[in-house]
Amino acid sequence: MRILMIGDVVGRPGRHCVRDLLPRVKENYCVDFTVANGENLASGTGFNEKTANELFGYGVDALTMGNHVWDKKEGVAYINRDSRIVRPVNYPPGTPGQGYAVFACKGVKIGIVNANGRVFMPALDCPFRRVEEAVKELQAETNCLLVDFHAEATSEKIAMGRFLDGSVSAVVGTHTHVQTADERLLSNGTAYISDVGMTGPYESVLGIDPEIVIKKFRTQLPARFEVLDKGAAQFNAVVIEIDPQTGYAVSIERIFDIHQL
Ligand SMILES: [Fe+2]
Ligand SMILES: [Fe+2]
């Protein structure tokens, strides 16, 4: 079972990059199931029905989220209507959406858990405890489990990887929009990377027009962030091969591609 995990897809350049590259990537890497982080799908913050369905139409099977999940009110209204969307599990009880879900692919069940970190991020329930509970629930159904840990600090992410090593197939980091080169198999069979990176405008600052970000840093005046909508796009992802019998990872491979839109 080969799972493709695409890092934070940012705005139209990110969506169009997925549209243009996904068919070839799926073929080249023999991908069975595709997950994308969709917290920045709609104009860089949040998602809505239209942008989520755009990604599903391009061949994405599941969308995970992050701290920007609630930024578009259409997304908040839509999230309960689409079981392919998984939002961080450590929001308060009663929050719309689901923190984990099971997907079926070629006779194999794949469990997906999403969680937000809380180092240098808004305070939430403990991601370690909430993910542990979710993993226990999912293990009743399958041992093919992917955790998208949407967090800022590499320490918190590596700790999550170590914490879950051997009980899930993969722990992949998202949120920083910068791909790390530390992909590896941990000693008990879990694939790990601190951050998958971003799929979006290549000449940007984390997806945003550099002029706006630089001006904000230099002046400290409020600024409306806008996705850079010109130039090339980058496609950041990992492909994880999982032994469907055991749930252990066999390999993890990083993809960093640049694409002229
Ligand atoms: Fe993001
Ligand atoms: Fe984020």
Side-chain angles (χ1 to χ4, degrees), residues 116-133:
N116 276 354
R118 52 180 189 176
V119 175
F120 311 129
M121 293 180 82
L124 283 178
D125 287 357
C126 173
F128 292 84
R129 285 196 183 83
R130 295 296 292 273
V131 170
E132 186 180 32
E133 288 163 10

Side-chain angles (χ1 to χ4, degrees), residues 213-235:
V213 181
I214 293 165
K215 190 174 168 203
K216 183 165 189 206
F217 274 118
R218 297 189 71 223
T219 65
Q220 297 298 311
L221 289 169
R224 196 168 171 271
F225 281 179
E226 276 172 34
V227 172
L228 181 71
D229 206 358
K230 62 178 181 201
Q234 64 184 58
F235 182 88

Side-chain angles (χ1 to χ4, degrees), residues 226-248:
E226 276 172 34
V227 172
L228 181 71
D229 206 358
K230 62 178 181 201
Q234 64 184 58
F235 182 88
N236 281 187
V238 288
V239 181
I240 300 146
E241 183 171 357
I242 299 168
D243 178 343
Q245 304 302 319
T246 63
Y248 293 129

